[in-house]
Amino acid sequence: MAPVRRRNKQRQSGVKQEVASTDDGDKKGGRRRKAAAAAAASGSGSSAVKKEDDGPLPPFRRPSRTAAAASASASAPKGTILVNRAPVLTLWVAVVANVQGYSWDSSLTFGRFVAGMFAQAKGRSLGIYGGNSRSGGGSGRTKGKDDELPLTVAVFGQHIPVVYVQEEHEKQPRALVRGKPVVPETAARYLATAFHDALPEARKALVALATAIGSTEQLNKQAYDLYCQFRPQVQGGVKGWGQKAEFDLGFVRALAQSLAK
């Protein structure tokens, strides 16, 4: 987890690719779920996930929501949460980072950075934000130090600009937004407000999903693709901006079970 130095152009390129995937994810989601359901009907099913010492992982196959939820009904309680996508993404990124080995406080700041960065890029693509908007994630550069490249950590397929702060007995990274470190307590309050009493169950379900994958390297590669499978399904375009929809914990649990087999 040693920090590396990356140029902003590289990080911006990665963001553009992720935003493009976000833009067409809703359109492709239905076709992907139908294809997965057809594969399940033909008997192919979900491939088993190998452990690290068993060699490379097989290609990830997505179970349909209907089949996955049905498989979970017998062993896990169902539950849905009415929430918009940003808190779900924030919590998922934090869980992924925590499983990678970062402290929970650090992980919360990474989640807020990634969710803000994605929201900013999506808002610009919809014409909600202007081209120079700095809301959300944005650059981690400190004003007046344009020649300095910030330290970064690799989480969720992104290179997140960080600064190290003292945390108990060692220094830990904090994501930078507009040159200032994100405050973990602020991120925690944001999640508590969005999820209310359901936050512990939501985190537990996402932890089970993250740990079902055999290696942190593979988790980092698949994290965004998995998010596209379980994120709340909202309307496309401006109508879906900030819209709340059902976050299905039963589907998340079933997805974790299918990966753990």
Side-chain angles (χ1 to χ4, degrees):
M1 297 189 298
V4 298
R5 294 186 179 272
R6 303 275 183 178
R7 295 193 176 278
N8 281 347
K9 289 184 178 178
Q10 292 176 312
R11 188 172 71 254
Q12 291 169 356
S13 175
V15 173
K16 289 180 180 178
Q17 293 175 355
E18 297 293 355
V19 171
S21 177
T22 302
D23 289 338
D24 64 9
D26 292 327
K27 297 178 181 179
K28 295 180 179 179
R31 294 196 297 271
R32 288 174 176 172
R33 285 191 289 274
K34 289 180 181 178
S42 67
S44 58
S46 298
S47 56
V49 178
K50 297 181 180 179
K51 303 300 182 182
E52 286 186 82
D53 56 359
D54 290 335
L57 292 169
F60 174 65
R61 297 181 181 178
R62 309 173 184 85
S64 68
R65 281 183 181 270
T66 303
S71 67
S73 60
S75 58
K78 291 184 179 180
T80 58
I81 305 168
L82 193 63
V83 64
N84 62 42
R85 286 180 172 180
V88 175
L89 178 58
T90 300
L91 181 58
W92 176 232
V93 173
V95 166
V96 169
N98 192 226
V99 171
Q100 284 185 244
Y102 293 102
S103 72
W104 184 243
D105 280 353
S106 294
S107 300
L108 284 171
T109 71
F110 301 160
R112 282 295 275 162
F113 176 89
V114 172
M117 178 179 63
F118 277 39
Q120 179 183 346
K122 181 68 173 180
R124 284 199 303 266
S125 72
L126 295 175
I128 295 174
Y129 296 147
N132 295 323
S133 172
R134 295 293 300 278
S135 62
S139 173
R141 288 181 182 272
T142 302
K143 186 176 181 181
K145 297 183 179 180
D146 290 340
D147 292 332
E148 294 184 8
L149 295 175
L151 294 173
T152 65
V153 296
V155 173
F156 205 72
Q158 304 295 320
H159 293 287
I160 301 174
V162 298
V163 63
Y164 278 77
V165 300
Q166 192 68 35
E167 182 178 300
E168 295 182 351
H169 303 297
E170 59 182 348
K171 289 187 175 182
Q172 294 288 340
R174 296 284 188 270
L176 285 173
V177 174
R178 295 190 292 276
K180 296 182 179 180
V182 177
V183 179
E185 292 77 11
T186 301
R189 286 194 298 270
Y190 169 74
L191 291 178
T193 300
F195 287 95
H196 302 287
D197 295 339
L199 179 57
E201 281 301 311
R203 180 179 175 183
K204 181 179 178 181
L206 291 175
V207 168
L209 176 58
T211 54
I213 298 178
S215 71
T216 56
E217 180 181 0
Q218 194 69 15
L219 171 62
N220 207 28
K221 291 179 180 179
Q222 291 189 355
Y224 180 75
D225 186 62
L226 290 170
Y227 166 70
C228 289
Q229 300 305 301
F230 64 70
R231 65 187 178 183
Q233 300 300 303
V234 301
Q235 290 178 284
V238 177
K239 290 184 178 180
W241 179 258
Q243 183 182 43
K244 290 185 178 181
E246 289 185 349
F247 175 39
D248 189 347
L249 296 185
F251 177 72
V252 175
R253 295 185 184 104
L255 195 56
Q257 290 174 6
S258 70
L259 290 172
K261 290 179 180 178

